[in-house]
Amino acid sequence: MAAERVEDLRIFVSAAAAGSFSAAARELGLTPAVASAAVKRLEDTLGVRLFVRSTRSLRLTAEGERYRDHAHAALAALEAGRGSVQRDRHSIAGTLSLSMPSDLGRHMLLPWLDAFQREHPRIRLQVRISDRLTDLHRQGVDIAIRYGEPEDSSMIALPLAPDNRRVLCAAPDYFARCGMPRTPEDLRQHNCLTFMLSDAPHDRWRFERDGQMSEIAVSGDRAADDGDVVRRWALAGDGLAYKSYFDVADDLRAGRLVAALPDYQGERSPVYLLCVERSRLSPAVRRLRDFLAARFAATA
């Protein structure tokens, strides 16, 4: 129902109670002409007369009396809905401490968290951005947002983007200088920018085509334990990066990076929200999970 229709209902209900367009108009801060026009518009929409008008009185028709009850119910339902939403908005409160990866956190999650706080102004955030694995038990972090399924089977893992994959990409300038790889095996001839996790380089890149997996050992002149550094090197044209799609989605859309090997799928890199126990799944955490999952789905 459009906003003006709701206002027409309010005017109709007020006029029915007051027995006068003038009285209803005064109560609602309108002119009698506006009140009369609103009721006429409602009658035209319904195809019935709601009032019997005379120079001295205004009374409901039989149809008007029946419709008045429904109008009361509709306005009461709208008011109840508004109150429920407002109470829910203010019931999401407290401090959320969360950890997130470097690249995903800086370039995608932080703006989303800003929007989440605007919707829930009583939420306070404590954010840790690092690609090093966070010990949720020891560091007092409520939740972590991470790529990949947790190795600890006791961890609660809620999917945010379960179908996410890695994408091989580089700057247009790099491809202009070094050529575009056509198969994973071609990567042996390219400068591959590798990411290190717990000092172990991620230098075996996997690709899928027609249900068959291939794994290629890559090498290059740069490695970093910060995903954002790898992305910056790729943007500068220093080599090929094998990144989560969400880390480079904006760069790909803007043409700052170009995807390679379009006939191959990169390995899965699902995004999860992690917590140590179900008692940490507060209303705020659940609402954040739903909010982020919707944003990831819209970006995929």
Side-chain angles (χ1 to χ4, degrees), residues 193-259:
L193 309 168
T194 53
F195 172 71
M196 297 184 298
L197 183 62
S198 300
D199 298 324
H202 181 242
D203 57 4
R204 302 189 74 85
W205 295 357
R206 304 178 71 207
F207 300 89
E208 180 180 353
R209 183 180 184 183
D210 299 330
Q212 299 296 314
M213 295 296 301
S214 59
E215 183 176 281
I216 304 299
V218 301
S219 62
D221 64 1
R222 303 184 187 206
D225 65 353
D226 186 305
D228 186 36
V229 172
V230 174
R231 172 180 164 273
R232 289 172 184 267
W233 285 337
L235 287 169
D238 295 319
L240 282 159
Y242 193 40
K243 299 284 290 178
S244 158
Y245 169 75
F246 289 116
D247 287 350
V248 293
D250 288 344
D251 298 317
L252 292 170
R253 280 193 289 267
R256 294 185 292 267
L257 293 175
V258 176

